[in-house]
Amino acid sequence: MKNIVRKLFSIILAIAVIMSIPAYTANAVGYANTITVQDIENLMDGSLGDLMLSVKSFPEDIGLTQAEVSDAYLGKTFSIAELNEENEYESVSDVVYIPLISSGDIIAIFTIIKENGRFNCTAGIDFAEQLDLIMKSSNGNVALVSENMDIIAVDSSSISRIVFDAPSESVAFASKNKRTYSDACRSNNTITANEMYSEQYTLPSATLPATREYNFLDYPIVFQGNYSICWAAVAASMIMYEMPSQYPELYATAACNTIGHSYTMGQPEDVIDILEAYLPSIYAPTTIYAPLTQNEVKAVIQNNDPACMFALPDHHMIEEHCTALCGYRIVGSTFEVRYMCPMLETIKLMTYDSVNGCQYRIGSFTFYWVYTTRLYYYV
């Protein structure tokens, strides 16, 4: 019965997505990564459906409560156009967002990324609260766009409002680019409040056995602030988790100060310097210049340790981003990684694809987990 309901919803959902993408886009050569009806049908019966089941069964994994998800449903999908090299917005068809709505509020976002015919899905609070405020205060259509990692909403009156202001972005959108609604409006990035909040599907009611849980539910969230010091924030969170009585609170800036590092981007050796400065000598932080395999993720988490995940963006030359590995879950045939993002200031879940590994989206950039700093012990 669950699969039948999933498939019915996936057809409705996917039709909404595809109808918002121009016909030439979906069929043209070079658009093999466009998310299609069949893609979403498969995902709802696969990794995306498993991720939704995980959120419904264990909402605490991403900072929600059972009360919030008990009546939660999925609203209408949306896309976010991005600024190209010609300083114009262009449609994005390989990334789709689905709002999770509870008691009339957007409380979380599911994201689907398609690359080389394969998929990664994430779930998190992300920019849900700010998007909710903007959609409820808008009287007409809203076009969603991104510039680097900033996300902006431009309404039909050409008023721009920040949905997500990335800490490392030095100049706010509204002051550097005055865009009209027609500038921002693309075929698949406009939506109204009535559309976004319209119920498409209720989260599955089945629950998962608690024995499948391998997550640090008390893992600390450390914000990187208005600096490119996600690496220091992750290191600080690792120290707080390992030694909570000694370090109940540790700021990313304080961690930088301890090793004499400026509030700028860092490297794995900087993370190691911070860890060695705070943790006893029995810890041996080590960098592996590769993402962890699924078995390695299991080993690290089951050893009750977090790890620092360095990720690089796709075709854009910007700084790397660091997140903290703080759990995993297996739902059906889907392996899910739980991670703390010091930029979004939240904890998220993402699916682990056997080929693409782990990917997540911030603004215009898809980030790829490329190497890892983890802890070993020598007693």
Side-chain angles (χ1 to χ4, degrees), residues 59-74:
E60 299 84 2
D61 279 1
I62 61 171
L64 299 177
T65 66
Q66 288 289 345
E68 287 176 309
V69 301
S70 62
D71 66 344
Y73 64 88
L74 299 175

Side-chain angles (χ1 to χ4, degrees), residues 135-148:
M135 295 306 298
K136 288 178 177 176
S137 62
S138 175
N139 294 321
N141 291 340
V142 172
L144 296 170
V145 297
S146 61
E147 297 192 4
N148 291 333

